[in-house]
Amino acid sequence: MYDFAYHKPATVADAVKLLADPDAKAISGGHTLLPALKHRLNKPSALVDLSGIAELKGIRRAGNAIVIGALTRHVEVATSAEVKAAIPALAYLASHIGDVQVRNRGTLGGSVSNNDPAADYPAAVLGLGATIHTSSRKIAADDFFLGMFTTALEPNEILTAIEFPIVDKAGYAKMKNPASRYVMAGVFVSKSGGNVRVAVNGAGPCVFRQAEMEKALAANWSPEAVAGIKQAAGDLNTDIHGSAEYRAHLVTVMAKRAVAAAG
Amino acid sequence: MNVVAPFEGIGASVRRKEDFRFIQGRGAYTDDFNRQGQLHAWIVRSPHAHARIKGVDTSAAAKMPGVVAVFTGADMAKDNLGGLPCGWQIHNKDGSPMAEPPHPVLAVDKVRHVGDPVAVAIAATREQARDAAEAIAVDYEVLPAAATMADALKPGAPVIHDGVANNLCYDWHIGDKAVLDQAFAGAAKVVSLDLVNNRLIPNAMEPRAALGEFDRTTGDYTLTTTSQNPHVIRLLMGANVLHIPESKLRVVAPDVGGGFGSKIYHYAEEAIVTWSAGKLARPVKWTADRSESFMSDAHGRDHVSKAELALDANGKFLGLRVHTYANMGAYLSTFAPCVPTYLYATLLAGVYTTPVIYCEVKAVFTNTVPVDAYRGAGRPEATFLLERLMDVAAKETGIDRVDLRRRNFIPTDAFPYQTPVALQYDSGNYHATLDQALQSADWAGFEARRAEAAKRGKLRGIGCSTYLEACGIAPSAVVGSLGARAGLYEVGTIRVHPTGSVTVLTGSHSHGQGHETTFAQLVADRLGVPVAQVDVVHGDTAKVPFGMGTYGSRSLAVGGSAMVKAMDKIIAKGKRIAAHLMEASVDDIEFDRGTFRVAGTDRTKALVDISVAAYVPHNYPIDELEPGLEETAFYDPKNFTYPGGCHIAEVEIDPETGQVSVANFTAVDDVGRVINPMIVEGQVQGGVAQGIGQALLEACVYDADGQLLSGSMMDYTMPRADDLPPVSVATHTTLCTHNPLGVKGCGEVGAIGSPPAVINAVVDALRDFNVRSLDMPATPAKIWQIINGGRRMAAE
């Protein structure tokens, strides 16, 4: 990696100040940024290590929602009694991110801010209709994910927490890329009263909602309701592991499985 | 108290001595060595598959912080360095030698694959060297690339090496074509199959590394390197590249974290650090990062073949015709030419009595990383071809696939058996290994398991492979006549110390195989010395006599046999000393596991009595015998060894996703006499893991421009623990008849026997979809395509 300055602020306000430098980068678990630095694909002037900011940590219930601090590691979400009781699908998703090492280091805020199209968390954020809290505002999930590795976050805006509404039912299913074990196609479904959300990750350049499936499930919450719905392959990814057509097919399969898992 | 020592000899599952240091993280690997004043090298590699080098500007790099030197191919040319040599020469059908273009250490005029080394920056730290390397400006004129064999053979294809017409390295064949054509003319049935044997990237856990040193006082060079055969590196690099006499060049291969063939070869980086250390009179270290490994370690496999089998009306094989294109990559790696010829075509008889075989092999240069031997080397390619062909032939003749194999097995009483493709098998019992595997895998009960899986929505299949391989390479005179530029004997020294402990010096090299234990067991078995008192020294040309190293499952069969010969000399000398000490005739001295006895009496001497007498020769037959108790033997095998057996895979497919999972795997192998059953089991399991990796997961993919798309673990699927099933390993032994231990070798059988068993099982699982040909790896996307295509056809 190239040389960089290293800062470890204690407050969000200090971190925001440090990130005013457009070439500085925030780091939490570092599971995406560090490999990029080692490959010299990224040359930040400074790393702003968020791990010393106490206010970014922790899981708490707030009314009809679970609020999870940005620095919360995947393993903490996966094993949280609070999360398991309130939104078991979210704990399940977290328990299946990467491998043990990734789950022990990677954080919710890091994953969602990075918005890797093949990451798990964006599917839950969008599929549950969560609200993203930042250093300066609150952003609805539907307005947050803008494109591949792109979000609504401003350069010096820090994701501080995510507020996940507690829903009636939710489920997640994914097919892993055989090499990277990132998501090749995943679907997160949720139902809260008459409100149904279906979020697709891995398959396209950015997590997206599947409107046709949402409509079908609102009318009939069952795997069969989505079994006949074909995802258009047009905008999906093609790589050496699978074509857009294959991913489109997997979206239907994973949607069925996610609904079945939600019960 | 009377303590009975545990049996540690041949047949005991002694725990691996080396694991004490490995498990505690105390292994000493090349990158762990750091010397006073050491510098670090970073190699500039070509980003293009094929380009002309119009200029290299190192001026900015040379001024960077910490930089001591920047070298290019032109600097090496000034020192008259040689190119990287090829150790095997194949001859064309017409008798002319293969095309053998130069392989410069650093590219001079052209680069020929992504990763081809162009320059080296040497600096105080690795990061500084890397910074400098980035500042080296190479002016490339990008040329069209031939990324595949088809591209390289097309009319008007890019010329990769001047003077190599059609990018063809050689056009070789074996067998009698006219006789074969006759056999086909009389056949009741001809079955043909097109196959691709997928290209693999070895990915040993420890990346390659090299540390060069030069002693200004003595003029001695030392290279510490990740090698399976340090003497071979010393010979090739000293004689061909750097022109350093072997007396002035020491090569050390310390603990090495896996090789699988990829660490046999002499690589550019070894020559770069050794030469640079001499130029700068400072130690120079290079350690590959994983990305470099992907584009600079020799790759494996990469065959495209057409196979045709002629059968009579009873399913007896009449003849086999094979045409193969073998990818050499951009340059000839050390042993590349022999892999698709003498390690492949000679294996095409397999375990069958096919009377006539003809095989033609065209070796092709492409703008890709050089290809060389990788665990199994040629034999997995032959086995995959044969065992896939068996299942297709069974289907097309209507003969049960197990029965078809049995009808054509070499009978158990037919050994020694001369095949039509040069090899003579010494022993084997293919019915026995097949029977044992069928029983162990409950082949007969499979249909019930398939029906049960169907209820769960899964497609279950079973497949077998009855394979044979030739290893324990090899008789020097034979391989010499076939083009090898080296002998393939092995050396062993047994040094019995005055107080009775033993040091073994072996030319074999252990990089995961457990030699320090298995070889100690040979000493425990023969000389009665406890394993704890036997140290095995390997991997250092300054300590060990000239040996040939470890590959081709040869360490025990060849290296172990050398040790046995040396121990026999120890025992013979010991008997003479014992006869003197006990005032008996040497003819009356018997020896059994550490004790010399005057036959028929209770007069004995322990080995330690003899060693003390030998090194403190106060009472010693000094007129007849030299003092000391140390013997060296070289062993040149009389034949290859021929492990074989039966592998059975059972798979389940999720038809919705195309995901294949291996439910069970059964291996019954005849590896000859088993020294340490636990180590054999581990070796077979490791080989099977790699075989399943090839069958289901691993694919080296280049795009049309020669860019490596599978250039990291993000895209190259290495097998992980949860990809692998329980592997049941059993052995059925017939002894090798021509080496003193009766051993055959177990290092490669897992990787050789397993891929076709897995693919045959996948094809069986897809029996409703009429699959004839299925190239590896059987990825979910590929399987889904078959299933989806099949459904679509059924719908239409």
Side-chain angles (χ1 to χ4, degrees), chain A residues 1-2 38-40 175 177-182 240-243 245-246 249-250 253-254 256-257, chain B residues 127 130-131 134 291 654 656-659 701 709-710 713-717 720 722-723 780-781 784:
Chain A
M1 54 184 76
Y2 298 107
K38 286 184 178 176
H39 280 105
R40 297 188 160 201
M175 177 77 180
N177 174 313
S180 69
R181 300 268 175 107
Y182 274 83
I240 62 174
H241 304 286
S243 62
E245 290 71 26
Y246 177 54
H249 163 78
L250 288 176
V253 174
M254 294 305 137
K256 279 195 308 184
R257 292 182 182 183
Chain B
E127 292 297 316
R130 189 171 185 180
D131 288 342
E134 287 181 1
S291 305
D654 176 347
E656 286 193 321
T657 62
Q659 179 81 49
V701 183
L709 299 183
S710 57
M713 297 293 182
M714 290 291 281
D715 285 305
Y716 187 84
T717 314
R720 292 166 164 92
D722 65 355
D723 291 317
W784 173 74

Side-chain angles (χ1 to χ4, degrees), chain B residues 259-289:
Chain B
F260 314 109
S262 72
K263 292 173 182 166
I264 297 172
Y265 324 116
H266 177 37
Y267 285 97
E269 296 85 358
E270 294 169 323
I272 291 169
V273 298
T274 309
W275 173 74
S276 304
K279 298 279 284 184
L280 304 173
R282 286 177 72 177
V284 178
K285 185 198 273 187
W286 168 81
T287 302
D289 69 9

Side-chain angles (χ1 to χ4, degrees), chain A residues 12-236:
Chain A
V12 170
D14 286 348
V16 168
K17 265 183 234 156
L18 290 162
L19 286 168
D21 171 1
D23 294 328
K25 277 207 170 291
I27 185 165
S28 57
H31 265 57
T32 300
L33 185 53
L34 277 177
L37 294 179
K38 286 184 178 176
H39 280 105
R40 297 188 160 201
L41 297 172
N42 217 314
K43 196 175 179 178
S45 57
L47 286 189
V48 180
D49 182 352
L50 305 180
S51 69
I53 305 176
E55 60 196 283
L56 297 180
K57 292 179 186 169
I59 299 172
R60 64 188 166 85
R61 172 110 187 213
N64 197 35
I66 296 282
V67 180
I68 304 179
L71 279 182
T72 310
R73 295 175 297 131
H74 308 329
V75 64
E76 292 166 326
V77 175
T79 57
S80 158
E82 196 103 56
V83 176
K84 283 204 268 191
I87 317 173
L90 183 61
Y92 169 85
L93 174 146
S95 73
H96 283 72
I97 298 173
D99 52 29
V100 171
Q101 290 85 347
V102 170
R103 294 194 290 273
N104 283 340
R105 287 290 301 169
T107 64
L108 173 68
S111 171
V112 172
S113 304
N114 189 47
N115 193 22
D116 187 322
D120 291 276
Y121 266 134
V125 172
L126 191 62
L128 287 165
T131 302
I132 287 101
H133 296 206
T134 79
S135 47
S136 55
R137 56 181 167 149
K138 291 181 182 179
I139 309 171
D142 286 327
D143 301 325
F144 184 79
F145 300 105
L146 301 184
M148 193 189 288
F149 297 106
T150 311
T151 68
L153 289 173
E154 296 296 328
N156 61 343
E157 185 178 12
I158 295 171
L159 191 160
T160 54
I162 299 180
E163 182 181 341
F164 292 96
I166 297 170
V167 294
D168 302 341
K169 292 178 174 190
Y172 180 58
K174 65 174 171 178
M175 177 77 180
K176 292 181 201 169
N177 174 313
S180 69
R181 300 268 175 107
Y182 274 83
V183 183
M184 188 121 110
V187 175
F188 195 103
V189 298
S190 76
K191 180 179 189 305
S192 195
N195 183 21
V196 169
R197 298 177 76 96
V198 176
V200 177
N201 60 343
C206 181
V207 63
F208 64 91
R209 287 175 68 180
Q210 223 293 359
E212 204 183 336
M213 289 184 179
E214 289 181 352
K215 204 172 143 197
L217 288 170
N220 170 18
W221 180 265
S222 73
E224 294 71 38
V226 291
I229 299 178
K230 286 191 164 46
Q231 165 68 41
D235 295 331
L236 302 191

Side-chain angles (χ1 to χ4, degrees), chain B residues 38-120:
Chain B
Q38 172 180 292
L39 300 170
H40 295 264
W42 191 274
I43 313 278
V44 176
R45 298 182 184 278
S46 171
H48 306 294
H50 197 192
R52 197 169 303 287
I53 300 172
K54 292 162 72 182
V56 183
D57 183 354
T58 61
S59 53
K63 292 180 211 138
M64 306 258 309
V67 173
V68 174
V70 180
F71 295 120
T72 66
D75 297 312
M76 292 195 150
K78 274 183 232 153
D79 275 12
N80 289 317
L81 262 54
L84 299 174
C86 179
W88 202 298
Q89 186 180 50
I90 295 296
H91 286 81
N92 293 305
K93 287 172 185 165
D94 64 7
S96 60
M98 68 182 187
E100 197 173 346
H103 185 181
V105 175
L106 289 172
V108 276
D109 54 343
K110 266 179 43 167
V111 287
R112 294 179 174 85
H113 67 86
V114 170
D116 206 356
V118 178
V120 58

Side-chain angles (χ1 to χ4, degrees), chain B residues 86 282 354 389 403 429 448 467 487 525 539 606 688 697:
Chain B
C86 179
R282 286 177 72 177
T354 316
L389 195 56
D403 186 31
N429 186 341
Y467 77 93
D525 195 85
V688 167
L697 305 169

Side-chain angles (χ1 to χ4, degrees), chain B residues 5-198:
Chain B
F7 176 66
E8 299 180 317
I10 290 173
S13 285
V14 175
R15 286 200 185 183
R16 297 186 358 148
K17 295 177 73 171
E18 45 271 77
D19 287 350
F20 289 101
R21 68 176 188 277
F22 293 153
I23 288 171
Q24 296 179 82
R26 292 185 193 156
Y29 299 87
T30 296
D31 190 57
D32 293 326
F33 292 90
N34 291 297
R35 306 298 190 203
Q36 186 82 33
Q38 172 180 292
L39 300 170
H40 295 264
W42 191 274
I43 313 278
V44 176
R45 298 182 184 278
S46 171
H48 306 294
H50 197 192
R52 197 169 303 287
I53 300 172
K54 292 162 72 182
V56 183
D57 183 354
T58 61
S59 53
K63 292 180 211 138
M64 306 258 309
V67 173
V68 174
V70 180
F71 295 120
T72 66
D75 297 312
M76 292 195 150
K78 274 183 232 153
D79 275 12
N80 289 317
L81 262 54
L84 299 174
C86 179
W88 202 298
Q89 186 180 50
I90 295 296
H91 286 81
N92 293 305
K93 287 172 185 165
D94 64 7
S96 60
M98 68 182 187
E100 197 173 346
H103 185 181
V105 175
L106 289 172
V108 276
D109 54 343
K110 266 179 43 167
V111 287
R112 294 179 174 85
H113 67 86
V114 170
D116 206 356
V118 178
V120 58
I122 297 169
T125 72
R126 195 158 179 255
E127 292 297 316
Q128 286 172 332
R130 189 171 185 180
D131 288 342
E134 287 181 1
I136 295 172
V138 185
D139 184 8
Y140 293 108
E141 176 195 342
V142 178
L143 302 170
T148 65
M149 291 192 279
D151 288 343
L153 292 168
K154 269 193 309 223
V159 177
I160 297 172
H161 295 280
D162 290 342
V164 178
N166 307 314
N167 296 315
L168 200 61
C169 175
Y170 56 75
D171 179 7
W172 173 91
H173 66 165
I174 189 170
D176 192 324
K177 197 164 185 268
V179 177
L180 183 98
D181 290 345
Q182 275 179 348
F184 270 70
K189 175 92 188 162
V190 172
V191 176
S192 79
L193 185 64
D194 294 319
L195 306 103
V196 173
N197 204 283
N198 47 325

